[in-house]
Every structure is written in C-alpha cells, then in structure tokens.
Amino acid sequence: MQLLKDRIIKDGKIAEGNILKVDSFLNHQMDVAFFCEIGKEFKRRFADCEITKILTIEASGIGIACIAAQYFDVPVVFAKKNKTKNISGEVYKSRVDSFTHDKHYDIIVSKEFLLPSDKVLLIDDFLANGSALLGLAELVSSAGATLVGAGIVIEKAFQCGGEIVRGRDIRVESLARIKEMSKDGVIFG
C-alpha cells in the first residue's frame, strides 16, 4: 500500500533496538482518515472471504480493527492482556511474548464472544516475531472457529514472524513489508 509506505517514510522514526515508531499516526495518536484507507485495503484484500468477526489484541490493534470492521460490517473482539472483573464466565487463554515490551503475558477472550461458527480475521498493527498472531490464532482454534487470515499494517520482514506464521498455513496480508531498517530509514520489500 503505497500510501502507507509514504507515510512511514514521512513520519516514521527508527528508535534503538529496531523499533519503528509510527506513533504519530498509527499506534498512539491515530489518524482516523488514514485508518479508513487501511480498512478499505483490508476489505479489498480479503474480499474473497466470508468473515463474521475481527479479532485483535489490546491495545494498538483496537483502533485499526474497529475502522476495518466497518468495511466488513462485523463486530470486533479484542483479546485482553489481563483478566478484569467485567469478564465473567469462561475464557479462552493463550500465552504471547511481546517484542516491543520484552515480556510475556496471557491473553484472554470470553467464550461468549468467539464461537465455533465464527470465521475470524485477525488484525494487528505490527508483525515482528509472530507471537501475538500465533496467540490470537490459538484462541480461534480453541473456540473451534475458522481462521480466515491475518491483516497486518506493518510487517518487519527482516524478523522471523512472517515466515513462522505463514509456515503454519495462515494467510497473511501485510500492507507494508519492511525488508531493512536502520537509522537512515527503511527499505521495503
């Protein structure tokens, strides 16, 4: 998606530790008009699929998933990183490792919101090591639902996540794939 690549070049910043900061438009301050273009692109790429739910993980994926869901006319479910008092009943649970936060945690979804009849599209802002996507895929599998694929805004193709996730026969559609990244900028590929 050229619009996204242009925005990464214009507003993205490379931080220490191979972190791409796109917080001015994607995952801290959110450019909603830009998210609409992302949502339209995900709809175009998954137009051949029947989708009944979009599943993401808190927190950065929620805004993107909500805007994308408008184009699919389906609800969004987000996996929580902590069980809270307002989640009652049984939950599906999976363990993930966060590249950005350098820690692991359990993610949960209430069983009432992920059903065996669901056809689920995963949406997330980044794909780095693949742990979050695999954790979400495990929740879908635990529910007996069908995993349609994963829509990723930015894939760090120089990390192993994309290869691992695709190796599990999960369809991944990344809007921008970064082949290399340094303090001088990014190379797409």
Side-chain angles (χ1 to χ4, degrees), residues 163-177:
E163 185 178 330
I164 291 169
V165 173
R166 289 178 181 94
R168 301 255 177 111
D169 289 327
I170 297 173
R171 176 182 173 185
V172 178
E173 293 285 342
S174 299
L175 304 187
R177 293 185 80 233

Side-chain angles (χ1 to χ4, degrees), residues 1-14 18-29 34-35 38 41-42 45 60-61 64 99-100 122-130 132-133 150-162 165-166 172-181 185-189:
M1 181 180 177
Q2 192 59 48
L3 184 65
L4 174 58
K5 292 175 183 177
D6 293 344
R7 190 71 182 263
I8 291 168
I9 290 167
K10 178 179 171 265
D11 295 327
K13 296 175 183 150
I14 312 299
N18 257 352
I19 303 292
L20 174 61
K21 292 181 62 65
V22 287
D23 53 353
S24 68
F25 66 94
L26 189 68
N27 54 17
H28 193 64
Q29 174 173 274
F34 187 67
F35 279 23
I38 289 170
E41 183 63 15
F42 282 140
R45 291 187 184 206
S60 298
I64 300 158
F99 174 78
T100 309
L122 307 178
I123 296 281
D124 208 358
D125 59 340
F126 274 94
L127 172 54
N129 66 16
L133 275 188
I152 302 299
V153 179
I154 300 169
E155 178 180 347
K156 291 180 174 181
F158 57 89
Q159 289 184 248
C160 63
V165 173
R166 289 178 181 94
V172 178
E173 293 285 342
S174 299
L175 304 187
R177 293 185 80 233
I178 297 176
K179 188 169 113 176
E180 293 179 38
M181 197 166 73
V186 299
I187 297 173
F188 298 100

Side-chain angles (χ1 to χ4, degrees), residues 1-186:
M1 181 180 177
Q2 192 59 48
L3 184 65
L4 174 58
K5 292 175 183 177
D6 293 344
R7 190 71 182 263
I8 291 168
I9 290 167
K10 178 179 171 265
D11 295 327
K13 296 175 183 150
I14 312 299
E16 220 175 291
N18 257 352
I19 303 292
L20 174 61
K21 292 181 62 65
V22 287
D23 53 353
S24 68
F25 66 94
L26 189 68
N27 54 17
H28 193 64
Q29 174 173 274
M30 297 182 276
D31 183 335
V32 176
F34 187 67
F35 279 23
C36 288
E37 297 307 312
I38 289 170
K40 289 176 194 173
E41 183 63 15
F42 282 140
K43 176 61 176 167
R44 186 187 72 75
R45 291 187 184 206
F46 288 98
D48 61 328
C49 301
E50 180 186 352
I51 294 166
T52 62
K53 290 220 174 108
I54 289 178
L55 176 64
T56 192
I57 193 167
E58 70 176 350
S60 298
I62 295 172
I64 300 158
C66 286
I67 299 293
Q70 293 179 104
Y71 297 96
F72 290 94
D73 194 27
V74 299
V76 172
V77 176
F78 70 91
K80 294 188 176 208
K81 294 178 183 173
N82 297 298
K83 188 164 185 177
T84 60
K85 290 180 182 178
N86 64 350
I87 293 183
S88 59
E90 296 183 44
V91 297
Y92 299 112
K93 184 160 97 170
S94 179
R95 189 153 186 85
V96 301
D97 298 309
S98 171
F99 174 78
T100 309
H101 297 111
D102 196 26
K103 68 180 200 176
H104 17 265
Y105 48 87
D106 292 328
I107 58 171
I108 59 170
V109 169
S110 174
K111 288 186 176 183
E112 89 180 272
F113 300 124
L114 202 52
L115 308 172
S117 58
D118 282 322
K119 293 171 179 60
V120 181
L121 174 63
L122 307 178
I123 296 281
D124 208 358
D125 59 340
F126 274 94
L127 172 54
N129 66 16
S131 183
L133 275 188
L134 293 176
L136 290 170
E138 186 179 323
L139 295 176
V140 173
S141 177
S142 294
T146 302
L147 179 57
V148 172
I152 302 299
V153 179
I154 300 169
E155 178 180 347
K156 291 180 174 181
F158 57 89
Q159 289 184 248
C160 63
E163 185 178 330
I164 291 169
V165 173
R166 289 178 181 94
R168 301 255 177 111
D169 289 327
I170 297 173
R171 176 182 173 185
V172 178
E173 293 285 342
S174 299
L175 304 187
R177 293 185 80 233
I178 297 176
K179 188 169 113 176
E180 293 179 38
M181 197 166 73
S182 71
K183 63 179 172 41
D184 299 323
V186 299

